[in-house]
Amino acid sequence: MLNQQAPLDLMFQALADPSRRTMVERLSRGPASVSELAKPFAMSLPAVVQHLQVLEASGLIRSEKIGRVRTCHIEWAALQTAEEWMLERRKTWEHRLDRLGDFLADQEKG
């Protein structure tokens, strides 16, 4: 569990920033160059690159440089890891709420 925790921490820290979430949303539609990802933001290109470095360090994206263009791609496996973690929490809480509902129903009967 601890081995899995560090990558999840990095992913959630990376996704805590709204600009990075917007970049991930854009990349979910397909690969994009750094300049394409920078267009909607009122920030410098170096600032965008720093955000992308955080996303890449978290494992959420990967990039490749061909010639003078750096293109970013989403890493679906990383998102799936986060999704599985969240689904496990959801199952736990649904089970607890079901048990609470059963308990309350028994209290009304008795």
Side-chain angles (χ1 to χ4, degrees), residues 64-80:
E64 61 182 338
K65 189 171 184 178
I66 300 174
R68 300 177 81 178
V69 177
R70 179 164 296 280
T71 302
C72 299
H73 307 263
I74 198 154
E75 284 291 337
W76 292 108
L79 285 174
Q80 186 174 5

Side-chain angles (χ1 to χ4, degrees), residues 5-109:
Q5 198 64 31
L8 278 174
D9 289 349
L10 288 174
M11 276 187 254
F12 287 125
Q13 286 171 358
L15 292 171
D17 183 87
S19 298
R20 291 194 286 263
R21 285 194 307 272
T22 300
M23 292 174 191
V24 169
E25 286 175 28
R26 167 53 191 88
L27 291 171
S28 70
R29 296 190 308 267
S33 69
V34 172
S35 58
E36 288 174 311
L37 291 169
K39 280 183 186 176
F41 299 103
M43 67 176 80
S44 68
L45 196 57
V48 170
V49 169
Q50 285 181 331
H51 281 295
L52 293 171
Q53 288 171 339
V54 171
L55 289 169
E56 197 160 7
S58 75
L60 288 166
I61 69 166
R62 65 180 164 80
S63 68
E64 61 182 338
K65 189 171 184 178
I66 300 174
R68 300 177 81 178
V69 177
R70 179 164 296 280
T71 302
C72 299
H73 307 263
I74 198 154
E75 284 291 337
W76 292 108
L79 285 174
Q80 186 174 5
T81 300
E83 179 184 20
E84 288 169 1
W85 183 87
M86 287 185 276
L87 282 172
E88 204 50 49
R89 305 296 75 69
R90 180 179 178 172
K91 286 180 193 175
T92 298
W93 279 103
E94 284 177 348
H95 177 71
R96 288 178 182 176
L97 290 173
D98 288 344
R99 286 180 41 213
L100 176 61
D102 293 344
F103 174 79
L104 294 174
D106 288 346
Q107 293 297 312
E108 285 181 4
K109 291 177 188 175

